[in-house]
Structures are given as C-alpha cells and as structure tokens.
Amino acid sequence: MLLQDKTVIVTGGNSGIGAAIALAAGQEGANVVIDYVARPDATEELDERITKAGSEAIGVEADVSKVADLQKLIDAAVKEYGRVDVMVNNAGIETRTSVLDSTEADYDKVMAVNLKSAFFGTQLAAKQFIAQGGGGVVVNISSVHEDWPMPGNAPYCVSKGGMRMLTRNAGVELGPKGIRVIGIGPGAVDTPINSSTSADPEKLAALNAAIPLGRMAEPDEIAGAVVFLASDKGAYLTSTTVFIDGGIMMGSVGL
Ligand SMILES: NC(=O)c1ccc[n+]([C@@H]2O[C@H](COP(=O)([O-])OP(=O)(O)OC[C@H]3O[C@@H](n4cnc5c(N)ncnc54)[C@H](O)[C@@H]3O)[C@@H](O)[C@H]2O)c1
C-alpha cells in the first residue's frame, strides 16, 4: 500500500477532487483527516467509505482561510494519529468574474480560500514535519490556470499563479529538510465547481471539443496521481507542478 500508516490531511476534503483524494489515500492505507466547511453528512459518508476500506478517518470542521483553523487541522491530526505526513491544500473557490468586474470582496475571498490557505497550510505542515524529525509532503491542488489565462475568472487565475510560485519557493526552501512540495494542475474535472458548465450542453460540448482526450476528468483520475506522487514512488519530485489535463494545455485550434 502506497501510504500505509501515513497521516494525510485534505482541505476541502468532502467533495469533488478532495473527497477522491481522501478516499484514495484511505484505500492506500493512510489515516485521513477530512477538512470541511459544509455538508457534515458528506463527511460522515466519506469517513464510512474510508473505514470500510480498512483505514481510519476523522472529519474536522475548519475554514482554511483562517490560520487558526489550519492549526486546528494539524492539531487534530497529531492528537488522533500522532503525526502528519501529507498536507493536501485542496480547498478552492472561484467567482467567475473578470479583471474589470471583480469586486474587492471577490478578490479577497478567492485569495484567502485558494492562496492564503495554501501558504499557511504549507507553513504549518512544514513546522509539524520538522518537529517530527523531517520528511513530509505538501500537495498544492492548483490548476492549468496557474499558467493559462481564463478570461472572466481573473481572481481564480491570480490565486493559482500565486500557488505555482508557492510550490516552487517552498519546495526550494524546504527540500534540504527532506520536505517535498508538489503542485498538481488539473484541467477540467467533473465536480461541483464546474456544475454550471456540466449543466449546459453547449458549453460542455465546446469544452470537450477543446480537450484532446475529449472529456472532463473524473475526480479519481486526479486522486490516483496525487496518491502516487505523495508516496515514496514520487520521492524525487518537488518544486514543480504536474498537469493532469487530458492534453488541454497543448491543444490546438486546428486552423
Ligand atoms: N474541477 C475542476 O475542473 C478543477 C480544475 C483545476 C483545479 N481545481 C481545483 O481543485 C480543488 C477542488 O475543487 P473541486 O473541483 O473538487 O470543487 P469542489 O467545489 O467540489 O471543492 C472545493 C472544496 O473546497 C471547500 N471549501 C471552500 N471554501 C472553504 C474554506 N474556507 N475552508 C475549507 N474548505 C473550503 C468546499 O466546501 C469544497 O469542498 C480547488 O482548489 C480547485 O481550484 C478544480
């Protein structure tokens, strides 16, 4: 098992990509801390699925835009399982607002949930890793939009661009302590964040046509790579982003 007896924290862990990562980590032997802010029923259901897979899980309600709540997650993991081995900064939101239309509130919210949370999630996990004697992995769930503009979703793209540099900088700073920092850049994934696209046949057809593999990813197609790369199989990977996008960033308009 890839993550046997490791403790994995997943922020925004009870839906979409986070839930798939939590389940995949549990299926690979990890104890899982599921962070959530909504739908405690979904957290309980996921906890049961992880327990059925033979691992342990706890749900912790924590708003990751607050540093004190991030510390609550680390403390819960240490209290329950004695340590933290993998911190997955997954929680994310978007406003679908442009440079011209975004309000101060749009900007602040997206930056707090997507970037501030990952910055301090990385910092607090790294402090815990060092206190335990070194090692450990941070996984930042970024996006193709850390590199690739998305007109009409400006704060989101800015937050993911910041996450790219967080992964690079933290990876370089923490590498000598044996801590790896990985970015994962999904393309379009069929999760609640994309429900407006999935529900609109025209938008969905246009999106699928732009993806060389012809479809959105399922959340577990992202989770499998996360678990593999966070395990010792990914031991030489740090400070960079791995894109899992069905080829969309390399796509051509076919002129
Ligand atoms: N779905 C995609 O196409 C796609 C593509 C690239 C990147 N991503 C990234 O993947 C991550 C997960 O998104 P998803 O697609 O699974 O959508 P999702 O909406 O299912 O997941 C986002 C999660 O973050 C949680 N969250 C929001 N605010 C929070 C807060 N303050 N504290 C704690 N949790 C909070 C939500 O409750 C939810 O569980 C996000 O960072 C997103 O940017 C998604």
Side-chain angles (χ1 to χ4, degrees), residues 153-171:
N153 207 6
Y156 182 81
C157 294
V158 171
S159 73
K160 296 299 186 182
M163 194 178 237
R164 172 177 70 169
M165 193 46 81
L166 168 65
T167 295
R168 292 179 180 191
N169 218 81

Side-chain angles (χ1 to χ4, degrees), residues 11-18 35-38 62-65 89-93 109 113-114 141-144 156 160 163 185-194 216:
T11 71
N14 75 355
S15 74
I17 295 170
D35 159 61
Y36 69 99
V37 284
D63 173 352
V64 295
S65 66
N89 294 311
N90 166 76
I93 55 168
K109 182 99 207 261
V113 175
N114 296 10
I141 305 300
S142 179
S143 166
V144 290
Y156 182 81
K160 296 299 186 182
M163 194 178 237
V189 188
D190 193 8
T191 72
I193 216 172
N194 274 325
M216 285 203 233

